């Protein structure tokens, strides 16, 4: 049946009216919004003049921040108090430092040593393994160790750090070492170390004094080595030589990751809301004249897991972060500079597990990493991990 013409034109007019109504309403809404949203013109400059920090590390960081901020850099000159180039060679002790820290002379010796060499990041490589990553590792196990710890290294090689193909994945293992100074009166173990390096081809050694405060140097040197010799490794697990790692579970976790999560992976036992400890008697004491501020979230240095891609980014950003004497805090600072934070995982137990679980095979099955274990304990626990007949529910 044909529709009468009049009806059609009435319908058209009604539709037109409705359309006009819609336009008017939305126009009004928009005008309403725009009159409410005034453009705010800042009354102050959008950057502020740097105020000289009273604390040495913070001041050094202000200097690096300005040097690396290319926008500000082209606008402003370094203020006088930051324009101190120091010795031409950053690896010569910086004898201006004692005059720049009020209580330098009363600081414990380890701080004086650290502060004098704080700008040095390069030391000669004494033992290298340029071919370690010839077969692109899925997982690179990196162990911080000290020269005399032969038995710990051997226990790791025989257990969780066994290099080769494991769970159908290529695993490589490397140990990081510094050196000793004759003034520290250590017996000479270099002959034995060179024998070990030739036998296992898994040692890296640099020529610096291997102390607790120089662990940050070890970290930075490793990142440098990694970016030159092993940049294609997919993942890195970095830990102490007294942790036990459930390599099987780590590989399991990594295999399950989505590509996007794998890229920026950084997981461990995360500590947040921490800050410098002011108790002189403790290992983690930091004097106020050196650093004031909060620590970013960081993963306990006993062991953490991250992606090779992130290691390359950490390497480049570390140039912009002043060395800090606590290595895991330093890594947290570098992550923060990248706009990232470590992810907490209950399987990483850098503070140990309850005593009653210590000898429970099934507990180890679900852990990723636990601190601390002796070489004998590693050998006794490892079979629990790899023997599938054990039934844990
Ligand atoms: C630092 O000071 C020197 C001389 O005092 C000056 O020539 C140089 O341009 C300054 N550098 C920066 C980055 O401001
Ligand atoms: C072993 O891993 C490779 C990739 O690395 C994969 O292609 C292959 O399917 C795996 N084999 C088994 C049995 O899982
Ligand atoms: C770190 O190593 C350097 C080079 O061997 C040394 O001069 C310095 O004293 C060490 N720092 C600490 C805190 O031990
Ligand atoms: C990985 O995935 C497998 C199969 O989906 C699962 O059985 C295993 O528990 C997962 N592992 C981890 C560590 O999430
Ligand atoms: C991380 O997890 C552990 C337990 O697995 C917990 O004790 C700790 O408080 C957590 N840390 C943060 C920062 O949430």
């Amino acid at each position: 049946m044909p529709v009468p013409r009049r009806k059609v034109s009435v319908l058209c007019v009604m539709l037109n009216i409705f359309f006009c109504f819609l336009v008017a309403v939305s126009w009004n809404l928009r005008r309403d919004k725009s009159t409410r949203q005034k453009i705010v013109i800042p009354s102050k400059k959008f950057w502020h003049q740097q105020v000289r920090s009273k604390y040495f590390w913070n001041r050094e960081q202000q200097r690096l921040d300005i040097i690396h901020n290319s926008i500000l850099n082209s606008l402003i000159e370094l203020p006088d108090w930051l324009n101190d180039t120091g010795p031409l060679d950053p690896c010569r002790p910086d004898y201006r430092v004692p005059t720049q820290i009020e209580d330098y002379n009363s600081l414990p010796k380890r701080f004086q040593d650290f502060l004098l060499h704080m700008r040095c990041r390069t030391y000669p490589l004494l033992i290298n393994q340029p071919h370690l990553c010839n077969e692109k590792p899925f997982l690179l196990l990196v162990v911080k160790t000290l020269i005399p710890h032969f038995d710990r290294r051997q226990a790791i090689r025989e257990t969780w750090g066994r290099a080769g193909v494991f769970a159908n994945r290529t695993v490589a293992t490397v140990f990081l070492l510094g050196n000793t100074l004759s003034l520290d009166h250590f017996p000479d173990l270099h002959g034995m170390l060179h024998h070990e390096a030739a036998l296992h081809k898994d040692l890296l050694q640099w020529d610096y004094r291997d102390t607790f405060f120089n662990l940050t140097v070890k970290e930075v040197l490793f990142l440098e080595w990694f970016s030159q010799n092993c940049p294609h490794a997919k993942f890195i697990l970095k830990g102490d030589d007294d942790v036990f790692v459930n390599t099987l579970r780590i590989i399991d976790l990594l295999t399950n990751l989505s590509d996007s999560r794998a890229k920026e992976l950084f997981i461990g036992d995360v500590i947040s809301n921490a800050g410098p400890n002011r108790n002189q008697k403790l290992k983690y004491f930091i004097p106020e004249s050196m650093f004031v501020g909060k620590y970013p979230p960081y993963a306990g240095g006993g062991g953490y897991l991250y992606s090779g891609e992130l290691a390359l980014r950490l390497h480049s950003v570390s140039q912009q972060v002043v060395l800090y004497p606590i290595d895991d805090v330093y890594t947290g600072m570098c992550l923060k500079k990248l706009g990232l934070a470590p992810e907490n995982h209950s399987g990483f137990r850098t503070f140990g597990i309850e005593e009653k679980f210590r000898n429970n095979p099934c507990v180890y099955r679900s852990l990723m990493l636990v601190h601390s274990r002796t070489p004998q304990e590693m050998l006794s626990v490892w079979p629990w991990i790899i023997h599938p007949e054990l039934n844990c529910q």
Side-chain angles (χ1 to χ4, degrees):
M1 206 173 75
V3 184
R5 210 170 251 199
R6 246 189 92 208
K7 264 198 186 161
V8 171
S9 63
V10 166
L11 197 69
C12 275
V13 168
M14 277 175 69
L15 267 177
N16 267 335
I17 291 171
F18 182 64
F19 185 71
C20 286
F21 173 73
L22 270 187
V23 169
V25 165
S26 73
W27 175 254
N28 259 339
L29 278 179
R30 237 188 318 164
R31 275 211 359 194
D32 247 34
K33 246 197 213 156
S34 63
T35 46
R36 256 186 268 130
Q37 260 180 13
K38 278 195 197 132
I39 295 168
V40 181
I41 300 168
S43 55
K44 291 188 219 147
K45 283 189 232 168
F46 67 89
W47 73 89
H48 33 232
Q49 193 69 38
Q50 288 271 342
V51 180
R52 180 180 185 274
S53 171
K54 274 161 54 190
Y55 319 106
F56 189 72
W57 188 96
N58 302 67
R59 211 153 62 224
E60 286 283 299
Q61 187 59 49
Q62 287 180 315
R63 187 173 154 270
L64 280 194
D65 283 344
I66 294 188
I67 291 173
H68 288 279
N69 188 330
S70 52
I71 301 173
L72 279 187
N73 217 358
S74 59
L75 287 177
I76 59 169
E77 274 187 22
L78 278 183
D80 283 347
W81 54 271
L82 278 174
N83 186 4
D84 53 359
T85 43
L88 269 183
D89 176 0
C91 288
R92 301 190 61 99
D94 187 350
Y95 290 116
R96 296 164 316 147
V97 170
T99 65
Q100 294 170 346
I101 303 172
E102 263 170 56
D103 58 351
Y104 179 87
N105 290 318
S106 60
L107 290 180
K109 185 80 171 64
R110 62 185 191 280
F111 285 99
Q112 300 183 347
D113 284 340
F114 177 81
L115 292 162
L116 282 183
H117 302 95
M118 194 158 101
R119 287 193 187 173
C120 181
R121 292 161 182 261
T122 50
Y123 291 99
L125 188 54
L126 299 175
I127 300 177
N128 191 11
Q129 306 299 338
H131 305 298
L132 191 95
C133 295
N134 278 3
E135 269 189 54
K136 177 186 158 186
F138 175 74
L139 176 61
L140 178 66
L141 301 169
V142 182
V143 186
K144 298 180 274 181
T145 180
L146 293 171
I147 296 174
H149 296 174
F150 296 98
D151 59 342
R152 296 192 190 183
R153 290 192 289 277
Q154 190 56 30
I156 290 171
R157 285 185 196 106
E158 291 178 16
T159 59
W160 60 265
R162 185 178 298 166
V165 175
F166 191 61
N168 188 33
R169 298 286 174 177
T170 307
V171 176
T173 300
V174 71
F175 295 95
L176 309 181
L177 293 145
N179 206 356
T180 53
L181 300 186
S182 56
L183 64 88
D184 287 325
H185 306 295
F186 285 110
D188 181 4
L189 301 174
H190 287 95
M192 287 164 70
L193 195 72
H194 282 271
H195 178 66
E196 184 189 359
L199 196 61
H200 297 289
K201 300 189 174 56
D202 58 6
L203 303 186
L204 293 178
Q205 190 194 19
W206 288 270
D207 194 10
Y208 69 89
R209 186 185 187 198
D210 213 349
T211 57
F212 176 64
F213 277 6
N214 267 344
L215 279 173
T216 307
V217 168
K218 189 173 271 190
E219 170 77 22
V220 168
L221 290 170
F222 164 70
L223 289 173
E224 170 80 25
W225 179 90
F226 179 81
S227 58
Q228 288 179 6
N229 297 277
C230 200
H232 303 299
K234 195 109 204 284
F235 299 104
I236 298 168
L237 183 126
K238 191 153 178 278
D240 288 336
D241 63 3
D242 59 350
V243 296
F244 181 85
V245 177
N246 186 341
T247 320
L248 211 56
R249 238 179 111 69
I250 297 270
I251 292 179
D252 210 26
L253 175 133
L254 294 175
T255 306
N256 282 6
L257 285 181
S258 68
D259 277 354
S260 59
R261 229 166 83 74
K263 255 174 162 1
E264 294 192 336
L265 181 81
F266 195 109
I267 60 178
D269 195 349
V270 175
I271 299 146
S272 334
N273 300 316
N277 200 303
R278 303 299 189 201
N279 181 349
Q280 280 241 26
K281 295 198 185 85
L282 296 180
K283 185 178 175 186
Y284 296 103
F285 164 70
I286 296 289
E288 191 172 292
S289 59
M290 181 172 168
F291 175 81
V292 167
K294 271 188 53 172
Y295 290 162
Y298 64 97
Y304 43 75
L305 181 64
Y306 55 120
S307 73
E309 250 177 85
L310 185 48
L312 300 178
R313 292 173 68 193
L314 283 170
H315 170 243
S316 75
V317 84
S318 70
Q319 319 286 332
Q320 300 180 30
V321 184
V322 175
L323 297 187
Y324 195 76
I326 302 175
D327 65 333
D328 39 15
V329 172
Y330 180 73
T331 302
M333 290 170 164
C334 293
L335 277 175
K336 187 176 170 205
K337 203 74 175 174
L338 289 173
L340 302 173
E343 186 187 324
N344 201 20
H345 193 294
S346 59
F348 287 75
R349 307 302 282 266
T350 55
F351 296 101
I353 50 175
E354 280 183 66
E355 196 55 40
K356 65 178 178 201
F357 295 134
R358 232 186 138 84
N359 292 312
N360 182 337
C362 294
V363 166
Y364 285 88
R365 278 282 175 94
S366 60
L367 291 176
M368 299 277 170
L369 179 147
V370 60
H371 179 265
S372 66
R373 291 297 177 269
T374 65
Q376 288 98 316
E377 284 169 334
M378 287 184 196
L379 286 158
S380 74
V381 171
W382 185 241
W384 301 343
I385 303 292
I386 53 172
H387 283 174
E389 61 272 16
L390 200 65
N391 196 7
C392 299
Q393 290 308 330

